Amino acid sequence: TFQAYLDNIEAKTGVSAAQFIELAREKGFLEAGTKATPIITWLADEYGLGRGHAMALVSVFKRERGE
């Protein structure tokens, strides 16, 4: 399930989805029109997340910005 993805992300990184939203906001990733690629790169480089987990967070970020 989608929630299982988010739970696994938190277990792996120690960062909750809500915390990732705030981190993404600080980096400007919640601005309208932000593409997934820089977000995926950030999550891979700083948190070791693979594409599937990163895309789950991209989805969360899109929901947060109302897309």
Side-chain angles (χ1 to χ4, degrees), residues 8-63:
N8 286 334
I9 291 166
E10 186 169 358
K12 179 174 183 161
T13 65
V15 182
S16 71
Q19 290 169 313
F20 270 117
I21 289 169
E22 291 311 310
L23 293 168
R25 188 181 319 280
E26 290 170 10
K27 293 199 163 280
F29 291 143
L30 295 186
E31 299 296 321
T34 301
K35 301 292 184 193
T37 302
I39 298 172
I40 292 167
T41 300
W42 164 59
L43 294 170
D45 292 349
E46 292 195 26
Y47 298 97
L49 293 179
R51 184 170 178 81
H53 286 117
M55 286 304 295
L57 286 171
V58 167
S59 176
V60 168
F61 301 159
K62 283 184 174 184
R63 250 190 313 199

